[in-house]
């Protein structure tokens, strides 16, 4: 963890050293403006923009999956002469043509958290290693179950039918960590392991998580492991399990590391979660736009990866052999939202 923080601090110092022209404007476009993850991302971008004197305009979809609103936001940013766009795309493939329009117009486009398809459709991606985030919770769940992992009944609570990259990476990472053959790693749902009861989608919110959990329990009421795309979905899944008296005998794992989610780990709602750092993603993104405006410098990817890795840590108070983790207390020190 210390290595992660030192590395990102060095990167921030390098980017922040750039001087740039006055009247630089930038755009932040998130999937929604209600999810705590994106709220914190906006806070990080806003604070860094104010520090550097950049005029920031923020846009968001009405709900997770609102592709058209994001397209309109990019078109607005181009028309307004922005120097760069920070984007968390709802539809990671369909957004590419308008992203290319922005790049052709001279804007730097940084994908935050969610890689585009293909990943090089953006100038750079600042993100959690989402596959690793999933792999950590999968390995932790398998190690926690021990021999019982061979007979697990797993419910998969994914993000959306469109299968945006962030959802695919976390899902496939979880299954890989758990020891399940994922078949095609570029999509979820094609696995044939009998331990997987099914997949359902949540839209990344609590109500969606509750509904998806109810649907999977109707398929098999004995599900005992639940993967969730994020912590709001995990909270909804827990409520569905609680309604049938099974909240204490099902292992729920998730990804986010927001303060409410870390508290849910402390309270036993979630067994373990992979913590990511949205404020850092956004602040580094603003610094990258500042450098681009100053002298055309583009950010570079982390060595050995196709994106700039902003770090991930597994948070749990029940560490498992062979799986690196930090405590809930440490997670609370680093949490957001």
């Amino acid at each position: 963890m210390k290595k992660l923080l030192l590395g990102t601090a060095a990167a921030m110092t390098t980017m922040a050293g750039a001087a740039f022209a006055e009247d630089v404007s930038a755009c932040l476009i998130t999937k929604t403006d209600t999810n705590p993850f994106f709220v914190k991302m906006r806070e990080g971008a806003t604070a860094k923009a104010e520090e550097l004197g950049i005029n920031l305009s923020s846009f968001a979809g009405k709900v997770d999956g609102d592709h058209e609103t994001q397209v309109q936001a990019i078109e607005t940013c181009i028309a307004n002469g922005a120097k760069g766009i920070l984007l968390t795309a709802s539809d990671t493939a369909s957004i590419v043509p308008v992203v290319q329009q922005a790049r052709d117009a001279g804007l730097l486009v940084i994908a935050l958290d969610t890689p585009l398809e293909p990943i090089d459709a953006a100038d750079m991606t600042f993100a959690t290693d989402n596959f690793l985030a999933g792999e950590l919770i999968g390995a932790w769940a398998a190690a926690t179950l021990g021999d019982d992992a061979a007979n697990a009944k797993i419910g998969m609570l994914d993000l959306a039918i469109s299968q945006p990259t962030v959802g695919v990476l976390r899902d496939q990472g979880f299954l890989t960590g758990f020891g399940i053959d994922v078949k095609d790693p570029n999509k979820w749902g094609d696995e044939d392991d009998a331990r997987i009861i099914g997949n359902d989608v949540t839209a990344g919110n609590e109500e969606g998580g509750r509904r998806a959990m109810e649907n999977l329990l109707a398929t098999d009421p004995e599900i005992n492991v639940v993967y969730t795309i994020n912590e709001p979905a995990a909270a909804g899944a827990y409520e569905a399990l609680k309604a049938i008296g099974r909240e204490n005998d099902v292992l729920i794992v998730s990804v986010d590391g927001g303060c409410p989610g870390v508290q849910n780990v402390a309270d036993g709602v979630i067994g373990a979660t992979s913590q990511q750092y949205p404020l850092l993603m956004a602040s580094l993104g603003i610094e990258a736009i500042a450098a681009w405006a100053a002298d055309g410098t583009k950010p570079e990817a982390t060595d050995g990866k196709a994106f700039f890795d902003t770090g991930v840590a597994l948070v749990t108070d029940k560490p498992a052999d062979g799986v690196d983790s930090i405590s809930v207390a440490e997670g609370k020190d680093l949490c957001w939202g």
Side-chain angles (χ1 to χ4, degrees), residues 15 52 86 108 110 124 126 282-294 297-299:
M15 291 185 188
L52 298 180
L86 306 180
L108 183 77
I110 303 290
M124 184 49 63
F126 289 167
S283 61
L284 289 175
I286 291 294
E287 290 179 351
I289 292 173
W292 170 253
T297 299
K298 288 188 177 182

Side-chain angles (χ1 to χ4, degrees), residues 20 44 78 87 97 105 118 142 160 170 174 224 228 235 249 251 257 278 302 326:
F20 55 92
I78 297 171
L87 171 68
R170 293 179 188 180
F174 167 81
N224 62 358
T228 60
D249 57 7
L251 199 61
T302 300
I326 63 175

Side-chain angles (χ1 to χ4, degrees), residues 246-260:
R246 295 210 52 221
E247 71 273 20
N248 294 322
D249 57 7
V250 177
L251 199 61
I252 300 176
V253 293
S254 198
V255 178
D256 261 353
C259 296

Side-chain angles (χ1 to χ4, degrees), residues 140 224-228 234 237-238 241 250-254 269-272:
W140 179 87
N224 62 358
V225 178
V226 178
Y227 154 84
T228 60
Y238 178 83
L241 291 163
V250 177
L251 199 61
I252 300 176
V253 293
S254 198
V269 172
I270 300 171

Side-chain angles (χ1 to χ4, degrees), residues 103-158:
R103 296 178 71 188
D104 290 344
L107 282 74
L108 183 77
V109 179
I110 303 290
L112 299 183
D113 177 57
T114 304
L116 302 187
E117 298 177 73
I119 192 169
D120 61 2
D123 290 290
M124 184 49 63
T125 301
F126 289 167
T128 306
D129 186 332
N130 281 293
F131 187 89
L132 176 59
E135 194 171 23
L136 285 169
I137 55 175
W140 179 87
T144 298
L145 289 173
D147 292 342
D148 290 336
N151 302 308
K153 293 190 173 187
I154 305 170
M156 301 292 295
L157 270 58
D158 290 294

Side-chain angles (χ1 to χ4, degrees), residues 27 29 46 49 58 80 104 124 138 168 170 173 197 200 214 219 223 226 265 276 282 293 306-307:
C27 294
I29 305 170
T46 300
S58 296
N80 289 345
D104 290 344
M124 184 49 63
V168 173
R170 293 179 188 180
I197 302 306
D200 208 328
E214 289 173 346
T219 300
I223 287 172
V226 178
V265 176
Q276 47 185 347
F307 61 97

